[in-house]
DNA sequence: TTAGGGTTAG
């Protein structure tokens, strides 16, 4: 009614009344009306321009918001102020316009704007994927405040610059600056991502000192940090301690997912599965990510019964339309040795992505069906599926298991020639294994010579294994020489060579090798060569 | 003015 009055009397051109109307229409979501009034006004002050930009931005008309801002800036005859810039920032973020951000940046440094605007600039650069420029803005600030630190750290964390976040946290500690919740949360997430438990514990101390530990925004990243660093007991302890009204709200389904995926990743499959069941008995409904997190644990245990029951649940919940879930199911079934079920799931995917194909291919390779894998690989090419380095690992390892030497060689050549993919270490390791098992030692050594990178223990270890199959003492000595340099203290390699000597009747060499082992401090603890931790932790005597 | 956490293939 008031609005109609104003319109009938033609008062909307008045700068104050017009500004009120633009603001009012925008807030009611009547953008067209706001624009009408705005366009009719011949004398616009900065508040009207700002209201129009804010209105457009809030109505998700980001391009239009930027256009109006440009007109104000270029020919509006008014001075752009802090509010104008703060209204513009969300639009720049959504359009991810680094160019526009740079224009504004220039303007901001030519004139003195308050920290709120400069902090906004840091935020915008980060959200446009330019943490480097965000950092530069921060460095040139006269007096960065705690919000500036928090904004920069959150921005760097967003862009995966986790080490830089932790460095900033250290600086804050060293300078004894005020740490706020935002910087602590960013630092916790960075510590989790880099699995830096020591740093994580330090941040936890700081959390306690500042009494942030009762804040729901801190407890989740805190638990996640412990879970990612492998301290599952600590994470679980904090998880169970969450109590009180707010805390229970924060013990939500994502936090359950954090625990489930942490157990899975740390090989604690049984606990992963039992946490999944606990989640349900606590009244939380598993989501897509929950299934994707628990299924690898099922695969690890080859717990097919659990797997099919999860499959049923996935169907009932309608998650079968998500490729991620189907791909994980295929993987689970093939690791349980049920390629028939894996194929069933694969065939039912309407829009197979290259991961779907890769998982299925890996399934054939894993189950030792070299010919199937090879045919499937051909089918992938016929279907113009994107072949990537992972596909080649699978098909090469399938050739290796099946002893398909010529096919393997052809595929290896194809990598570079047809698909323009440079073979990586793992591809070379497959080929060394394949050629070595076939007893083609000259060819294998030539291949190792031709590698553009330093062969790793996997490559030499494959060669040593092949030497054992063919009792090739000469090449085995060469392989061992290199293995000793790469993994001093791993007794398994010596044991292999020693048995090759023994098989060839070279008892004296076998004996002197054992002597060498005990001299160099390598202890012979038989039969645990598959234990991964032995690779990094040489067992020393004394 | 800053603000979290979960996901598939070798």
């Amino acid at each position: 009614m008031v609005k109609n009055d104003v319109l009938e009397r033609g008062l909307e051109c008045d700068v104050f009344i017009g500004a009120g109307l633009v603001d009012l229409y925008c807030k009611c979501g009547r953008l067209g009306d706001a624009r009408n009034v705005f366009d009719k006004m011949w004398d616009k002050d900065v508040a009207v321009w700002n209201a129009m930009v804010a209105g457009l931005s809030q109505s998700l008309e980001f391009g239009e918001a930027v256009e109006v801002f440009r007109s104000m800036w270029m020919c509006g005859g008014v001075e752009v102020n802090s509010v104008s810039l703060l209204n513009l920032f969300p639009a720049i973020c959504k359009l991810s316009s680094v160019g526009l951000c740079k224009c504004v940046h220039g303007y901001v440094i030519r004139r003195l704007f308050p920290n709120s605007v400069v902090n906004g600039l840091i935020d915008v650069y980060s959200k446009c994927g330019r943490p480097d420029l965000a950092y530069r803005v921060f460095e040139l600030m006269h007096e960065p405040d705690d919000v500036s630190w928090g904004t920069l750290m959150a921005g760097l964390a967003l862009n995966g610059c986790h080490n830089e976040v932790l460095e900033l946290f250290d600086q804050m500690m060293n300078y004894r600056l005020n740490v706020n919740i935002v910087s602590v949360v960013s630092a916790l997430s960075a510590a989790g991502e880099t699995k830096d438990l020591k740093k994580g514990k330090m941040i936890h101390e700081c959390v306690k000192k500042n009494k942030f530990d009762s804040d729901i925004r801190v407890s989740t990243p805190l638990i996640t940090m412990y879970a990612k660093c492998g301290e599952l007991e600590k994470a679980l302890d904090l998880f169970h301690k969450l109590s009180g009204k707010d805390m229970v709200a924060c013990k939500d389904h994502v936090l359950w997912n954090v625990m489930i995926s942490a157990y899975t990743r740390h090989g604690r499959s049984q606990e992963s599965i039992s946490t999944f069941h606990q989640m349900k008995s606590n009244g939380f409904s598993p989501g897509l990510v929950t299934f994707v997190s628990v299924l690898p644990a099922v695969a690890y245990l080859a717990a097919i019964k659990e797997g099919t029951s999860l499959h049923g649940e996935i169907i009932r919940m309608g998650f079968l339309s998500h490729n991620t879930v189907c791909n994980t199911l295929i993987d689970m079934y093939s690791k349980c040795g049920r390629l028939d079920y894996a194929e069933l799931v694969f065939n039912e995917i309407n829009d197979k992505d290259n991961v779907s194909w890769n998982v299925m291919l890996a399934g054939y390779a894993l189950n030792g069906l070299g010919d199937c894998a090879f045919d499937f690989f051909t089918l992938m090419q016929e279907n113009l599926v994107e072949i990537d380095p992972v596909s080649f690992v699978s098909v090469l390892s399938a050739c290796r298991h099946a002893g398909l030497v010529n096919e393997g060689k052809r595929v290896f050549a194809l990598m570079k020639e047809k698909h323009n993919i440079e073979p990586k270490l793992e591809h070379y390791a497959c080929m060394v294994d394949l050629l070595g098992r076939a007893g083609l030692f000259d060819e294998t050594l030539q291949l190792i010579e031709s590698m553009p990178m330093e062969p790793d223990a996997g490559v030499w270890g494959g060669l040593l294994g092949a030497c054992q199959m063919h009792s090739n003492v000469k090449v085995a000595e060469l392989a061992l020489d290199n293995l000793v340099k790469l993994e001093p203290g791993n007794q398994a390699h010596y044991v292999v060579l020693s048995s090759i000597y023994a098989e060839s009747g070279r008892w004296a060499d076998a004996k002197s090798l054992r002597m060498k082992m005990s001299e160099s401090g390598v202890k012979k603890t038989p039969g645990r060569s598959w234990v991964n931790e032995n690779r990094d932790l040489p067992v020393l005597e004394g």
Side-chain angles (χ1 to χ4, degrees):
Chain A
M1 310 359 98
V2 178
K3 279 176 279 169
N4 287 339
D5 265 5
V6 170
L7 295 181
E8 276 164 24
R9 294 181 199 179
L11 288 177
E12 72 268 31
C13 298
D14 178 273
V15 65
F16 292 110
I17 296 174
L21 267 182
V22 169
D23 192 43
L24 188 65
Y25 278 135
C26 284
K27 283 184 178 143
C28 299
R30 292 174 59 174
L31 219 57
D33 291 328
R35 193 62 200 254
N36 263 336
V37 175
F38 179 80
D39 287 339
K40 274 188 196 155
M41 294 175 68
W42 46 269
D43 182 23
K44 300 185 184 82
D45 68 358
V46 67
V48 180
W49 285 101
N50 288 350
M52 197 63 237
V53 173
L56 287 164
S57 184
Q58 276 152 19
S59 307
L60 311 182
E61 301 284 343
F62 301 114
E64 206 45 36
V66 167
E67 278 318 304
V68 172
F69 176 84
R70 262 193 230 277
S71 319
M72 156 165 70
W73 202 4
M74 302 313 229
C75 47
V78 292
E79 191 142 316
V80 168
N81 63 19
S82 298
V83 178
S84 326
L85 294 174
L86 293 171
N87 283 339
L88 177 72
F89 285 160
I92 304 184
C93 290
K94 285 292 175 312
L95 298 171
S96 209
S97 169
V98 178
L100 184 56
C101 197
K102 283 181 176 169
C103 288
V104 173
H105 185 177
Y107 185 70
V108 168
I109 49 175
R110 278 196 301 277
R111 307 166 30 137
L112 280 178
F113 273 101
N115 269 7
S116 59
V117 174
V118 187
N119 293 345
L121 203 56
I122 295 175
D123 187 41
V124 178
Y125 270 136
S126 304
K127 286 176 177 157
C128 291
R130 293 299 302 264
D132 53 326
L133 297 177
Y135 211 114
R136 201 184 303 163
V137 174
F138 175 82
E139 280 179 319
L140 295 175
M141 282 180 88
H142 297 293
E143 282 184 46
D145 52 29
D146 66 314
V147 176
S148 319
W149 286 85
T151 310
L152 180 64
M153 287 167 78
L156 291 172
L158 183 74
N159 286 281
C161 310
H162 302 297
N163 291 319
E164 286 77 4
V165 175
L166 294 174
E167 272 169 33
L168 286 171
F169 182 80
D170 282 344
Q171 283 180 36
M172 292 192 87
M173 292 285 107
N174 291 339
Y175 299 149
R176 299 188 185 284
L177 297 175
N178 253 348
V179 178
N180 65 19
I181 287 187
V182 179
S183 44
V184 159
V185 163
S186 310
L188 281 173
S189 131
E193 289 304 317
T194 54
K195 304 195 190 337
D196 189 339
L197 179 63
K198 209 174 139 204
K199 199 56 77 55
K201 283 182 173 169
M202 243 175 68
I203 305 164
H204 190 179
E205 285 308 312
C206 167
V207 163
K208 285 192 250 180
K209 221 173 86 189
N210 285 285
K211 301 207 170 19
F212 291 154
D213 42 351
S214 55
D215 194 299
I216 53 168
R217 294 164 296 182
V218 178
S219 36
T220 311
L222 187 64
I223 293 171
T224 308
M225 180 278 291
Y226 278 116
K228 288 200 167 170
C229 291
E231 291 280 295
L232 294 176
E233 264 59 49
K234 182 78 187 166
L236 199 62
D237 184 42
L238 291 169
F239 180 67
H240 286 316
K241 276 187 186 150
L242 290 178
S243 57
K245 211 174 72 192
D246 290 343
M247 288 308 194
V248 168
C250 118
K251 204 167 163 178
D252 63 5
H253 75 281
V254 178
L255 208 37
W256 284 99
N257 289 349
V258 168
M259 292 306 306
I260 292 169
S261 81
Y263 278 128
T264 302
R265 280 174 187 275
H266 288 89
R268 293 168 63 169
S269 310
Q270 202 64 63
E271 285 151 294
S272 167
I273 296 169
S274 66
T275 308
F276 172 81
H277 291 298
Q278 276 175 45
M279 172 185 186
K280 290 202 294 181
S281 55
N282 276 273
F284 289 92
S285 165
L288 181 160
V289 179
T290 318
F291 287 109
V292 174
S293 304
V294 73
L295 279 169
V298 173
Y300 188 83
L301 297 172
I304 185 70
K305 236 177 129 187
E306 186 75 50
T308 44
S309 137
L310 287 170
H311 188 175
E313 225 171 314
I314 285 168
I315 294 172
R316 284 194 294 280
M317 299 190 73
F319 288 138
L320 222 49
S321 54
H322 296 269
N323 269 10
T324 326
V325 177
C326 295
N327 298 345
T328 315
L329 268 175
I330 296 170
D331 189 52
M332 181 273 293
Y333 278 130
S334 51
K335 282 178 180 153
C336 290
R338 293 303 303 256
L339 279 173
D340 49 344
Y341 287 171
E343 282 170 343
L344 222 62
V345 178
F346 176 80
N347 289 329
E348 278 182 13
I349 305 178
N350 285 328
D351 228 347
K352 301 175 181 66
D353 56 26
N354 72 318
V355 177
S356 317
W357 288 88
N358 273 351
V359 178
M360 197 61 239
L361 176 67
Y364 292 124
L366 212 70
N367 283 277
L369 301 178
D371 291 315
C372 278
F374 202 79
D375 292 344
F376 192 77
F377 182 66
T378 311
L379 191 68
M380 282 173 80
Q381 287 164 288
E382 284 166 8
N383 280 275
L384 304 176
V385 179
E386 183 204 332
I387 310 284
D388 67 7
V390 178
S391 330
F392 279 106
V393 172
S394 295
V395 72
L396 286 175
S397 92
C399 291
R400 177 182 62 183
H401 281 306
L404 302 167
V405 179
N406 289 327
E407 286 83 349
K409 282 199 235 176
R410 220 178 317 133
V411 167
F412 188 74
L414 219 70
M415 265 182 90
K416 227 161 128 178
E417 287 164 16
K418 191 174 160 196
H419 297 273
N420 211 12
I421 295 174
E422 281 298 325
K424 292 197 281 187
L425 256 175
E426 49 266 43
H427 301 113
Y428 281 104
C430 271
M431 282 309 288
V432 165
D433 224 47
L434 174 74
L435 299 172
R437 279 173 190 229
L440 304 167
F441 286 102
D442 287 339
E443 210 171 320
T444 313
L445 290 172
Q446 267 172 27
L447 182 73
I448 294 178
E449 279 286 302
S450 75
M451 285 174 66
M453 70 288 276
E454 280 300 310
D456 70 347
V459 172
W460 292 115
L463 184 61
L464 186 63
C467 292
Q468 189 173 23
M469 280 178 74
H470 294 274
S471 297
N472 187 327
V473 176
K474 206 173 141 214
V475 178
E477 285 172 337
L478 172 77
L480 185 76
D481 268 352
N482 285 285
L483 279 166
V484 168
K485 279 181 214 147
L486 290 165
E487 294 185 334
N490 187 335
Q491 70 277 30
H493 307 315
Y494 288 94
V495 175
V496 174
L497 181 59
S498 156
S499 73
I500 298 175
Y501 280 140
E503 276 163 27
S504 325
R506 291 171 58 170
W507 306 106
D509 287 320
K511 194 179 168 194
S512 82
L513 184 67
R514 285 209 200 91
M515 297 280 283
K516 221 160 108 189
M517 278 169 72
S518 56
E519 278 164 25
S520 65
V522 179
K523 197 170 154 186
K524 188 171 176 260
T525 46
R528 275 172 59 88
S529 60
W530 66 88
V531 177
N532 242 345
E533 60 230 30
N534 280 357
R535 290 161 56 106
D536 308 320
L537 297 171
V539 184
L540 296 176
E541 276 181 330

